[in-house]
Amino acid sequence: MGKLVRDRIPEIIKADGKNPITRILPEEEYLQELDKKLNEEVAEYQADKSIEEMADVLEVLFAFCEARGYSIEQLMKVKQDKQDKRGGFKNRIFWEGNE
């Protein structure tokens, strides 16, 4: 029934006069819950299209990066390297196949 939540959520729940029941996830379960959270956040972005939902997706991606032992700087370097070699998506090119 539960779900992975941001670090300050229990504090916010307590401030609302409630008593949250929480636990710290072991690494493998944490990665599984990050997968679920990524799907949740992408679905929320798909429904809403807001910058807040984009930020939530990014937050989960950053958490994945760190959980897998990479720094955000490494992630951004790999992103830039791929963009340098293959481009980004700015030109809105849609490939329909080959003749």
Side-chain angles (χ1 to χ4, degrees):
M1 169 175 171
K3 67 178 186 174
L4 184 65
V5 295
R6 288 176 176 264
D7 297 339
R8 294 195 58 216
I9 295 301
E11 173 185 326
I12 292 167
I13 291 170
K14 286 178 186 174
D16 197 32
K18 298 175 185 160
N19 188 24
I21 301 168
T22 63
R23 65 186 173 93
I24 304 302
L25 298 174
E27 185 175 343
E28 193 57 40
E29 188 177 0
Y30 175 56
L31 291 170
Q32 292 170 358
E33 291 301 319
L34 277 173
D35 276 332
K36 291 177 189 176
K37 181 58 76 172
L38 181 59
N39 290 333
E40 173 190 330
E41 297 300 350
V42 167
E44 288 175 4
Y45 168 74
Q46 291 293 339
D48 188 283
K49 308 286 195 246
S50 72
I51 196 166
E52 287 81 8
E53 296 302 338
M54 283 185 225
D56 288 344
V57 171
L58 190 59
E59 187 71 35
V60 175
L61 291 175
F62 283 177
F64 258 125
C65 184
E66 292 176 351
R68 297 268 183 208
Y70 302 108
S71 69
I72 303 306
E73 292 77 18
Q74 286 174 296
L75 175 65
M76 298 311 287
K77 182 181 181 331
V78 170
K79 178 228 173 270
Q80 188 61 54
D81 289 348
K82 289 189 85 167
Q83 184 177 350
D84 291 346
K85 288 178 186 170
R86 300 180 64 98
F89 295 96
K90 293 177 184 174
N91 293 334
R92 300 181 288 180
I93 298 169
F94 184 83
W95 179 51
E96 294 183 340
N98 297 325
E99 290 185 325

XYZ file of all heavy atoms in Angstrom:
814
model
N 0.815 -1.194 0.000
C 0.000 0.000 0.000
C 0.863 1.265 0.000
O 0.494 2.260 -0.563
C -0.935 0.003 1.204
C -1.581 1.353 1.361
S -2.788 1.435 2.623
C -3.043 3.175 2.612
N 2.010 1.203 0.651
C 2.840 2.385 0.780
C 3.550 2.735 -0.509
O 3.382 2.077 -1.536
N 4.336 3.784 -0.449
C 5.114 4.194 -1.613
C 6.317 5.000 -1.165
O 6.351 5.542 -0.059
C 4.264 4.992 -2.587
C 3.805 6.352 -2.072
C 2.998 7.073 -3.141
C 2.650 8.481 -2.700
N 2.006 9.230 -3.773
N 7.290 5.076 -2.044
C 8.471 5.891 -1.811
C 8.064 7.360 -1.822
O 7.325 7.792 -2.712
C 9.494 5.616 -2.919
C 10.839 6.316 -2.807
C 11.594 5.829 -1.566
C 11.657 6.044 -4.055
N 8.519 8.097 -0.812
C 8.185 9.521 -0.718
C 9.449 10.347 -0.522
O 10.496 9.831 -0.120
C 7.190 9.807 0.438
C 5.846 9.154 0.180
C 7.757 9.385 1.788
N 9.333 11.627 -0.799
C 10.451 12.546 -0.584
C 10.828 12.588 0.891
O 9.995 12.329 1.773
C 10.072 13.945 -1.066
C 10.001 14.058 -2.584
C 9.529 15.456 -2.972
N 9.529 15.640 -4.412
C 10.522 16.200 -5.095
N 11.602 16.621 -4.465
N 10.436 16.347 -6.400
N 12.082 12.939 1.159
C 12.651 12.863 2.501
C 11.896 13.663 3.563
O 11.868 13.264 4.726
C 14.111 13.319 2.471
C 14.987 12.426 1.612
O 14.609 11.265 1.359
O 16.057 12.898 1.175
N 11.308 14.767 3.191
C 10.665 15.621 4.197
C 9.180 15.319 4.389
O 8.522 15.934 5.234
C 10.849 17.092 3.828
C 12.336 17.500 3.902
C 12.548 18.983 3.902
N 11.853 19.607 5.011
C 11.274 20.810 4.941
N 11.309 21.511 3.831
N 10.645 21.310 5.975
N 8.634 14.364 3.641
C 7.204 14.056 3.752
C 6.803 13.614 5.157
O 5.797 14.097 5.692
C 6.773 13.043 2.668
C 6.919 13.652 1.272
C 5.354 12.533 2.909
C 6.118 14.929 1.023
N 7.550 12.727 5.837
C 7.150 12.383 7.210
C 7.085 13.604 8.131
O 6.157 13.734 8.944
C 8.235 11.400 7.664
C 8.724 10.793 6.393
C 8.679 11.919 5.383
N 8.029 14.499 7.996
C 8.055 15.741 8.783
C 6.805 16.585 8.497
O 6.195 17.144 9.414
C 9.331 16.487 8.400
C 9.527 17.850 8.942
C 10.795 18.486 8.339
O 11.780 17.781 8.062
O 10.758 19.709 8.158
N 6.429 16.670 7.235
C 5.240 17.440 6.838
C 3.981 16.784 7.394
O 3.074 17.478 7.874
C 5.200 17.581 5.301
C 6.360 18.471 4.840
C 3.856 18.115 4.824
C 6.631 18.450 3.349
N 3.929 15.457 7.366
C 2.774 14.735 7.913
C 2.666 14.973 9.416
O 1.577 15.225 9.948
C 2.883 13.225 7.585
C 2.708 13.008 6.079
C 1.864 12.415 8.377
C 3.027 11.601 5.611
N 3.818 14.923 10.118
C 3.825 15.179 11.566
C 3.341 16.593 11.876
O 2.593 16.805 12.829
C 5.219 14.972 12.148
C 5.613 13.535 12.268
C 7.034 13.393 12.803
C 7.463 11.944 12.791
N 8.877 11.762 13.174
N 3.762 17.553 11.084
C 3.346 18.945 11.292
C 1.842 19.102 11.109
O 1.241 20.029 11.652
C 4.096 19.869 10.332
N 1.234 18.165 10.368
C -0.210 18.178 10.151
C -0.946 17.434 11.268
O -2.149 17.213 11.194
C -0.516 17.542 8.789
C -1.901 17.851 8.286
O -2.426 18.952 8.583
O -2.484 16.982 7.592
N -0.203 17.020 12.317
C -0.807 16.378 13.475
C -1.010 14.878 13.335
O -1.681 14.265 14.165
N -0.429 14.263 12.326
C -0.564 12.822 12.123
C 0.751 12.132 12.456
O 1.781 12.772 12.599
C -0.968 12.537 10.682
C -2.316 13.147 10.330
C -2.641 12.957 8.866
C -3.941 13.687 8.545
N -4.070 13.951 7.125
N 0.694 10.811 12.599
C 1.877 10.033 12.950
C 2.196 9.074 11.802
O 1.603 8.005 11.712
C 1.640 9.274 14.256
C 2.903 8.617 14.755
O 4.002 9.053 14.427
N 2.749 7.566 15.538
N 3.144 9.429 10.929
C 3.457 8.563 9.799
C 4.191 7.289 10.228
O 4.995 7.311 11.153
C 4.362 9.429 8.931
C 5.030 10.345 9.896
C 4.004 10.624 10.966
N 3.890 6.204 9.543
C 4.593 4.943 9.751
C 5.534 4.786 8.564
O 5.089 4.720 7.418
C 3.607 3.764 9.830
C 2.629 3.984 10.986
C 4.358 2.444 9.955
C 1.452 3.031 10.972
N 6.833 4.749 8.839
C 7.827 4.691 7.768
C 8.872 3.635 8.078
O 8.960 3.146 9.208
C 8.541 6.052 7.600
O 9.258 6.359 8.796
C 7.556 7.170 7.287
N 9.661 3.303 7.072
C 10.823 2.437 7.244
C 11.843 2.829 6.184
O 11.501 3.444 5.175
C 10.459 0.961 7.145
C 9.968 0.505 5.799
C 9.484 -0.962 5.856
N 8.871 -1.367 4.615
C 9.498 -1.970 3.619
N 10.789 -2.262 3.724
N 8.863 -2.306 2.513
N 13.077 2.478 6.422
C 14.159 2.731 5.469
C 14.304 1.481 4.600
O 14.439 0.369 5.116
C 15.486 3.048 6.196
C 15.311 4.223 7.159
C 16.607 3.290 5.186
C 14.835 5.503 6.513
N 14.281 1.678 3.297
C 14.338 0.553 2.370
C 15.767 0.054 2.174
O 16.697 0.853 2.057
C 13.793 0.974 0.999
C 12.335 1.413 0.949
C 11.993 1.932 -0.448
C 11.417 0.270 1.341
N 15.926 -1.272 2.085
C 17.231 -1.795 1.678
C 17.457 -1.447 0.199
O 16.509 -1.148 -0.534
C 17.109 -3.304 1.889
C 15.649 -3.583 1.961
C 14.968 -2.318 2.379
N 18.696 -1.505 -0.235
C 19.075 -1.008 -1.561
C 18.245 -1.600 -2.697
O 17.748 -0.869 -3.549
C 20.559 -1.267 -1.814
C 21.033 -0.658 -3.119
C 22.530 -0.795 -3.316
O 23.251 -1.054 -2.335
O 22.969 -0.631 -4.453
N 18.099 -2.915 -2.757
C 17.382 -3.537 -3.879
C 15.916 -3.111 -3.909
O 15.359 -2.816 -4.968
C 17.502 -5.065 -3.815
C 17.064 -5.761 -5.083
C 17.822 -5.296 -6.337
O 19.042 -5.068 -6.279
O 17.164 -5.156 -7.383
N 15.282 -3.062 -2.755
C 13.883 -2.619 -2.696
C 13.776 -1.137 -3.059
O 12.822 -0.713 -3.708
C 13.305 -2.888 -1.311
C 11.809 -2.642 -1.239
C 11.205 -2.981 0.113
O 11.941 -3.423 1.032
O 9.984 -2.786 0.257
N 14.760 -0.347 -2.635
C 14.792 1.074 -2.985
C 14.815 1.254 -4.503
O 14.065 2.051 -5.060
C 16.009 1.726 -2.333
C 16.250 3.168 -2.701
C 15.275 4.145 -2.504
C 17.476 3.567 -3.223
C 15.511 5.474 -2.826
C 17.724 4.887 -3.543
C 16.730 5.837 -3.341
O 16.972 7.149 -3.671
N 15.658 0.478 -5.194
C 15.725 0.569 -6.652
C 14.398 0.164 -7.289
O 13.944 0.788 -8.252
C 16.875 -0.287 -7.186
C 18.273 0.215 -6.843
C 19.322 -0.823 -7.206
C 18.561 1.549 -7.518
N 13.760 -0.859 -6.744
C 12.448 -1.277 -7.251
C 11.409 -0.173 -7.048
O 10.586 0.101 -7.934
C 11.984 -2.558 -6.562
C 12.792 -3.780 -6.916
C 12.468 -4.974 -6.037
O 11.648 -4.906 -5.119
N 13.131 -6.088 -6.305
N 11.441 0.455 -5.897
C 10.484 1.529 -5.606
C 10.778 2.776 -6.446
O 9.860 3.500 -6.817
C 10.462 1.847 -4.115
C 9.857 0.739 -3.266
C 8.426 0.392 -3.631
O 7.614 1.321 -3.907
O 8.097 -0.809 -3.646
N 12.062 3.023 -6.733
C 12.390 4.125 -7.645
C 11.803 3.872 -9.033
O 11.312 4.797 -9.680
C 13.901 4.331 -7.741
C 14.558 5.155 -6.657
C 16.080 5.115 -6.816
C 14.062 6.593 -6.661
N 11.840 2.614 -9.483
C 11.210 2.275 -10.766
C 9.731 2.639 -10.747
O 9.212 3.258 -11.682
C 11.351 0.780 -11.065
C 12.667 0.412 -11.712
O 13.267 1.254 -12.408
O 13.092 -0.744 -11.530
N 9.042 2.251 -9.674
C 7.612 2.565 -9.554
C 7.400 4.082 -9.510
O 6.473 4.612 -10.124
C 7.032 1.924 -8.294
C 6.956 0.425 -8.342
C 6.424 -0.108 -7.017
C 6.526 -1.612 -6.926
N 6.104 -2.107 -5.593
N 8.258 4.757 -8.753
C 8.126 6.220 -8.611
C 8.348 6.907 -9.952
O 7.632 7.860 -10.289
C 9.112 6.728 -7.552
C 9.059 8.218 -7.283
C 7.692 8.696 -6.847
C 7.374 8.360 -5.424
N 6.113 9.006 -4.967
N 9.317 6.435 -10.727
C 9.551 7.020 -12.042
C 8.313 6.871 -12.923
O 7.883 7.836 -13.562
C 10.771 6.383 -12.713
C 11.135 6.942 -14.084
C 11.435 8.435 -14.019
C 12.327 6.175 -14.660
N 7.716 5.688 -12.935
C 6.492 5.485 -13.708
C 5.377 6.412 -13.238
O 4.651 6.997 -14.047
C 6.040 4.029 -13.633
C 6.954 3.096 -14.391
O 7.607 3.490 -15.347
N 7.014 1.850 -13.958
N 5.242 6.549 -11.916
C 4.220 7.427 -11.341
C 4.442 8.878 -11.773
O 3.504 9.558 -12.210
C 4.268 7.316 -9.811
C 3.374 8.284 -9.070
C 3.638 8.284 -7.566
O 4.046 7.244 -7.016
O 3.454 9.357 -6.956
N 5.678 9.330 -11.656
C 5.964 10.729 -11.978
C 5.825 11.013 -13.480
O 5.344 12.074 -13.876
C 7.358 11.123 -11.481
C 7.522 11.051 -9.975
C 6.589 11.949 -9.179
O 5.886 12.805 -9.749
O 6.553 11.791 -7.943
N 6.234 10.062 -14.324
C 6.073 10.241 -15.769
C 4.583 10.299 -16.114
O 4.148 11.136 -16.911
C 6.805 9.136 -16.559
C 6.392 9.132 -18.022
C 8.311 9.326 -16.445
N 3.788 9.419 -15.501
C 2.337 9.436 -15.746
C 1.729 10.769 -15.309
O 0.863 11.328 -16.005
C 1.663 8.274 -15.017
N 2.171 11.290 -14.170
C 1.667 12.582 -13.704
C 2.074 13.694 -14.672
O 1.279 14.588 -14.958
C 2.159 12.874 -12.290
C 1.489 12.001 -11.255
C 2.037 12.182 -9.857
O 2.913 13.058 -9.640
O 1.597 11.436 -8.958
N 3.306 13.625 -15.183
C 3.717 14.618 -16.175
C 2.872 14.487 -17.440
O 2.415 15.498 -17.998
C 5.208 14.487 -16.540
C 5.508 15.307 -17.760
C 5.568 16.697 -17.669
C 5.614 14.727 -19.013
C 5.754 17.469 -18.809
C 5.808 15.494 -20.151
C 5.870 16.866 -20.040
O 6.032 17.629 -21.171
N 2.644 13.274 -17.899
C 1.842 13.064 -19.108
C 0.439 13.644 -18.948
O -0.124 14.186 -19.898
C 1.752 11.569 -19.453
C 3.059 10.964 -19.916
C 3.527 11.514 -21.259
O 2.768 12.039 -22.044
N 4.815 11.379 -21.522
N -0.112 13.560 -17.761
C -1.455 14.088 -17.503
C -1.462 15.599 -17.354
O -2.412 16.269 -17.769
C -2.035 13.435 -16.247
N -0.409 16.156 -16.783
C -0.394 17.557 -16.367
C 0.428 18.469 -17.276
O 0.088 19.623 -17.465
C 0.148 17.604 -14.927
C 0.049 18.965 -14.291
O 0.881 19.824 -14.625
O -0.837 19.162 -13.448
N 1.561 17.976 -17.754
C 2.506 18.715 -18.602
C 3.132 19.931 -17.908
O 3.628 20.830 -18.561
C 1.860 19.169 -19.918
C 1.169 18.079 -20.707
C 2.145 17.169 -21.384
C 1.453 16.330 -22.437
N 1.414 14.933 -22.164
N 3.141 19.950 -16.583
C 3.664 21.119 -15.858
C 5.157 20.986 -15.587
O 5.716 19.890 -15.561
C 2.926 21.293 -14.529
O 3.322 20.284 -13.619
N 5.783 22.122 -15.369
C 7.205 22.135 -15.023
C 7.442 21.471 -13.670
O 8.491 20.861 -13.439
C 7.789 23.565 -15.090
C 9.324 23.493 -15.121
C 7.242 24.430 -13.961
C 9.984 24.789 -15.510
N 6.461 21.540 -12.764
C 6.590 20.872 -11.468
C 6.695 19.362 -11.648
O 7.488 18.701 -10.975
C 5.403 21.212 -10.558
C 5.422 22.619 -10.021
C 4.900 23.666 -11.007
O 4.373 23.301 -12.085
O 5.032 24.860 -10.690
N 5.897 18.811 -12.553
C 5.960 17.373 -12.805
C 7.260 17.006 -13.520
O 7.826 15.944 -13.276
C 4.742 16.891 -13.591
C 3.424 17.043 -12.837
C 3.373 16.322 -11.499
O 4.151 15.364 -11.270
O 2.552 16.720 -10.656
N 7.753 17.889 -14.397
C 9.060 17.654 -15.026
C 10.141 17.585 -13.952
O 11.034 16.731 -14.002
C 9.412 18.782 -15.996
C 8.724 18.734 -17.311
S 9.391 20.067 -18.339
C 7.879 20.715 -19.003
N 10.071 18.481 -12.974
C 11.058 18.503 -11.889
C 10.985 17.223 -11.064
O 12.024 16.703 -10.630
C 10.828 19.730 -11.001
N 9.784 16.690 -10.862
C 9.639 15.436 -10.120
C 10.301 14.281 -10.870
O 10.970 13.443 -10.265
C 8.162 15.123 -9.872
C 7.537 16.036 -8.829
O 8.279 16.702 -8.080
O 6.290 16.078 -8.767
N 10.114 14.226 -12.182
C 10.766 13.188 -12.994
C 12.279 13.313 -12.864
O 12.986 12.327 -12.643
C 10.324 13.272 -14.474
C 11.156 12.337 -15.346
C 8.830 12.958 -14.620
N 12.776 14.531 -12.962
C 14.214 14.767 -12.853
C 14.742 14.355 -11.480
O 15.813 13.754 -11.368
C 14.510 16.239 -13.139
C 15.958 16.638 -13.304
C 16.616 15.878 -14.448
C 16.045 18.141 -13.558
N 13.996 14.653 -10.439
C 14.408 14.282 -9.080
C 14.571 12.764 -8.955
O 15.540 12.279 -8.357
C 13.385 14.777 -8.061
C 13.800 14.601 -6.618
C 14.920 15.538 -6.196
O 14.962 16.687 -6.664
O 15.765 15.108 -5.384
N 13.630 12.017 -9.539
C 13.731 10.554 -9.489
C 14.936 10.072 -10.305
O 15.669 9.183 -9.871
C 12.426 9.884 -9.970
C 12.586 8.366 -10.022
C 11.260 10.255 -9.063
N 15.172 10.668 -11.459
C 16.334 10.290 -12.263
C 17.634 10.569 -11.517
O 18.559 9.754 -11.550
C 16.311 11.017 -13.605
C 15.208 10.578 -14.567
C 15.226 11.462 -15.813
C 15.346 9.123 -14.945
N 17.701 11.700 -10.826
C 18.889 12.008 -10.036
C 19.062 10.992 -8.901
O 20.176 10.572 -8.591
C 18.824 13.425 -9.482
C 19.124 14.516 -10.479
C 19.030 15.841 -10.096
C 19.487 14.240 -11.788
C 19.320 16.870 -10.989
C 19.774 15.249 -12.690
C 19.692 16.568 -12.292
N 17.955 10.593 -8.262
C 18.021 9.592 -7.190
C 18.528 8.260 -7.737
O 19.347 7.587 -7.100
C 16.648 9.426 -6.537
N 18.035 7.872 -8.921
C 18.531 6.653 -9.567
C 20.029 6.739 -9.796
O 20.767 5.798 -9.534
C 17.862 6.458 -10.934
C 16.779 5.438 -10.949
C 15.519 5.780 -11.393
C 17.010 4.133 -10.555
C 14.506 4.845 -11.437
C 16.009 3.182 -10.596
C 14.749 3.546 -11.041
N 20.463 7.855 -10.315
C 21.872 8.060 -10.626
C 22.722 7.826 -9.383
O 23.672 7.042 -9.401
C 22.050 9.481 -11.159
S 23.715 9.870 -11.686
N 22.371 8.473 -8.307
C 23.139 8.353 -7.070
C 23.035 6.957 -6.477
O 24.014 6.417 -5.961
C 22.697 9.424 -6.082
C 23.097 10.819 -6.558
C 22.607 11.948 -5.671
O 21.793 11.701 -4.752
O 23.039 13.089 -5.907
N 21.846 6.334 -6.570
C 21.665 4.986 -6.031
C 22.511 3.969 -6.788
O 22.933 2.949 -6.228
C 20.190 4.587 -6.095
N 22.789 4.245 -8.035
C 23.608 3.351 -8.859
C 25.101 3.701 -8.770
O 25.923 3.115 -9.453
C 23.154 3.420 -10.313
C 21.739 2.956 -10.533
C 21.708 1.505 -10.863
N 20.348 1.065 -11.153
C 19.953 -0.164 -10.952
N 20.788 -1.055 -10.477
N 18.724 -0.512 -11.233
N 25.440 4.680 -7.927
C 26.839 4.999 -7.680
C 27.441 6.043 -8.603
O 28.659 6.162 -8.679
N 26.611 6.778 -9.313
C 27.094 7.820 -10.210
C 26.788 9.190 -9.620
O 25.843 9.354 -8.858
C 26.420 7.723 -11.581
C 26.616 6.399 -12.263
C 25.569 5.506 -12.383
C 27.860 6.030 -12.774
C 25.741 4.276 -13.015
C 28.041 4.807 -13.402
C 26.970 3.935 -13.516
O 27.158 2.727 -14.130
N 27.570 10.172 -10.016
C 27.285 11.538 -9.585
C 26.387 12.201 -10.633
O 26.322 11.757 -11.788
C 28.577 12.344 -9.431
O 29.160 12.586 -10.707
N 25.729 13.255 -10.224
C 24.911 14.038 -11.156
C 25.814 14.607 -12.258
O 25.427 14.652 -13.424
C 24.164 15.170 -10.418
C 23.284 14.604 -9.288
C 23.346 16.007 -11.383
C 22.316 13.530 -9.680
N 27.034 14.982 -11.885
C 27.980 15.509 -12.867
C 28.306 14.462 -13.932
O 28.391 14.780 -15.114
C 29.255 16.003 -12.175
C 29.059 17.230 -11.305
C 28.403 16.942 -9.954
O 28.372 15.765 -9.497
O 27.881 17.898 -9.352
N 28.487 13.208 -13.499
C 28.745 12.134 -14.471
C 27.553 11.961 -15.410
O 27.733 11.804 -16.619
C 29.015 10.808 -13.753
C 30.371 10.709 -13.102
C 30.488 9.436 -12.296
O 29.773 9.237 -11.319
N 31.394 8.568 -12.712
N 26.373 11.983 -14.846
C 25.159 11.856 -15.657
C 25.086 12.959 -16.701
O 24.836 12.706 -17.883
C 23.917 11.882 -14.771
C 22.570 11.870 -15.494
C 22.361 10.563 -16.242
C 21.441 12.123 -14.503
N 25.331 14.178 -16.267
C 25.233 15.315 -17.182
C 26.323 15.254 -18.252
O 26.099 15.643 -19.394
C 25.283 16.628 -16.405
C 24.128 16.791 -15.415
S 22.489 16.465 -16.102
C 22.283 17.913 -17.110
N 27.506 14.725 -17.908
C 28.571 14.572 -18.893
C 28.190 13.537 -19.944
O 28.380 13.756 -21.142
C 29.891 14.196 -18.233
C 31.027 14.078 -19.252
C 32.330 13.684 -18.644
C 33.462 13.575 -19.627
N 33.176 13.221 -20.987
N 27.655 12.409 -19.508
C 27.218 11.384 -20.462
C 26.113 11.936 -21.354
O 26.119 11.724 -22.567
C 26.759 10.103 -19.730
C 26.081 9.128 -20.684
C 27.943 9.436 -19.033
N 25.186 12.673 -20.770
C 24.114 13.311 -21.549
C 24.709 14.230 -22.611
O 24.326 14.190 -23.779
C 23.180 14.093 -20.632
C 22.065 14.833 -21.351
C 22.021 16.273 -20.812
C 21.080 17.142 -21.557
N 21.675 17.840 -22.699
N 25.679 15.051 -22.210
C 26.298 15.995 -23.145
C 27.093 15.266 -24.220
O 27.043 15.638 -25.397
C 27.195 16.984 -22.405
C 27.718 18.100 -23.285
C 26.599 18.947 -23.871
O 25.749 19.463 -23.155
N 26.567 19.086 -25.197
N 27.818 14.220 -23.828
C 28.576 13.435 -24.804
C 27.651 12.830 -25.854
O 27.947 12.859 -27.049
C 29.374 12.324 -24.120
C 30.551 12.849 -23.299
O 30.902 14.046 -23.436
O 31.111 12.051 -22.509
N 26.519 12.282 -25.401
C 25.561 11.704 -26.347
C 24.981 12.783 -27.251
O 24.814 12.573 -28.454
C 24.438 10.985 -25.602
C 24.893 9.693 -24.945
C 23.750 8.901 -24.418
C 23.211 8.053 -25.554
N 22.297 7.011 -25.141
N 24.706 13.935 -26.677
C 24.170 15.041 -27.484
C 25.198 15.489 -28.516
O 24.855 15.745 -29.667
C 23.756 16.202 -26.592
C 23.103 17.330 -27.351
C 22.624 18.446 -26.444
O 22.611 18.326 -25.226
N 22.230 19.540 -27.036
N 26.461 15.567 -28.108
C 27.522 15.974 -29.036
C 27.663 14.977 -30.190
O 27.874 15.377 -31.332
C 28.861 16.110 -28.309
C 28.897 17.286 -27.343
O 28.004 18.164 -27.408
O 29.822 17.314 -26.500
N 27.554 13.689 -29.895
C 27.739 12.656 -30.916
C 26.502 12.426 -31.778
O 26.616 12.199 -32.978
C 28.121 11.325 -30.255
C 29.520 11.310 -29.704
C 29.822 9.993 -29.026
C 31.190 10.067 -28.358
N 31.444 8.929 -27.500
N 25.327 12.461 -31.175
C 24.110 12.066 -31.880
C 23.072 13.183 -31.981
O 22.059 13.017 -32.649
C 23.491 10.844 -31.201
C 24.453 9.653 -31.189
C 23.862 8.442 -30.528
N 22.709 7.929 -31.227
C 22.718 6.921 -32.091
N 23.853 6.327 -32.375
N 21.614 6.499 -32.643
N 23.333 14.283 -31.295
C 22.382 15.386 -31.298
C 21.380 15.250 -30.170
O 21.384 14.284 -29.415
N 20.529 16.267 -30.086
C 19.455 16.257 -29.101
C 18.138 16.034 -29.815
O 18.064 15.277 -30.788
N 17.111 16.725 -29.369
C 15.790 16.606 -29.976
C 15.225 17.969 -30.366
O 14.036 18.106 -30.638
C 14.825 15.901 -29.014
C 15.225 14.470 -28.744
C 15.965 14.151 -27.617
C 14.878 13.461 -29.621
C 16.345 12.841 -27.365
C 15.257 12.149 -29.376
C 15.999 11.835 -28.240
N 16.072 18.976 -30.413
C 15.633 20.343 -30.684
C 15.039 20.526 -32.069
O 14.161 21.357 -32.271
C 16.798 21.316 -30.489
C 17.246 21.413 -29.057
C 18.443 22.327 -28.903
C 18.906 22.296 -27.458
N 20.138 23.037 -27.286
N 15.530 19.767 -33.047
C 15.073 19.955 -34.427
C 13.779 19.211 -34.743
O 13.286 19.291 -35.868
C 16.169 19.550 -35.406
C 17.360 20.469 -35.331
O 17.250 21.631 -34.941
N 18.528 19.961 -35.691
N 13.256 18.484 -33.783
C 11.959 17.798 -33.907
C 11.893 16.833 -35.083
O 10.867 16.675 -35.733
C 10.817 18.814 -34.000
C 10.747 19.699 -32.761
C 9.640 20.677 -32.831
N 9.978 21.707 -33.820
C 9.193 22.726 -34.112
N 8.040 22.862 -33.518
N 9.574 23.619 -35.006
N 12.984 16.157 -35.380
C 13.054 15.234 -36.512
C 12.315 13.935 -36.183
O 12.546 13.318 -35.134
C 14.524 14.932 -36.874
C 15.229 16.212 -37.306
C 14.610 13.846 -37.952
C 16.738 16.090 -37.440
N 11.428 13.531 -37.089
C 10.679 12.295 -36.949
C 11.089 11.361 -38.075
O 10.879 11.663 -39.241
C 9.168 12.581 -37.007
C 8.318 11.376 -36.767
C 8.032 10.963 -35.478
C 7.778 10.664 -37.828
C 7.240 9.851 -35.240
C 6.988 9.552 -37.607
C 6.713 9.148 -36.317
N 11.698 10.230 -37.738
C 12.165 9.284 -38.754
C 11.039 8.322 -39.100
O 10.428 7.716 -38.231
C 13.366 8.527 -38.201
C 13.927 7.504 -39.142
C 14.283 7.669 -40.435
C 14.195 6.136 -38.836
N 14.769 6.508 -40.966
C 14.737 5.544 -39.993
C 14.067 5.355 -37.703
C 15.118 4.210 -40.062
C 14.454 4.040 -37.757
C 14.974 3.479 -38.927
N 10.758 8.183 -40.375
C 9.663 7.321 -40.831
C 10.160 6.054 -41.515
O 9.365 5.295 -42.061
C 8.748 8.103 -41.769
C 8.038 9.224 -41.031
C 7.062 9.993 -41.904
O 7.171 9.938 -43.149
O 6.187 10.644 -41.309
N 11.449 5.819 -41.526
C 11.995 4.624 -42.136
C 12.924 4.969 -43.263
O 13.343 6.117 -43.429
N 13.275 3.973 -44.070
C 14.189 4.148 -45.205
C 13.493 3.743 -46.499
O 12.578 2.931 -46.487
C 15.442 3.292 -45.020
C 16.237 3.687 -43.806
O 16.299 4.856 -43.466
N 16.832 2.722 -43.148
N 13.996 4.293 -47.615
C 13.456 3.904 -48.932
C 14.135 2.644 -49.394
O 15.253 2.350 -49.097
C 13.681 5.016 -49.960
C 12.836 6.210 -49.680
C 12.978 7.273 -50.766
O 14.075 7.442 -51.321
O 11.959 7.930 -51.028
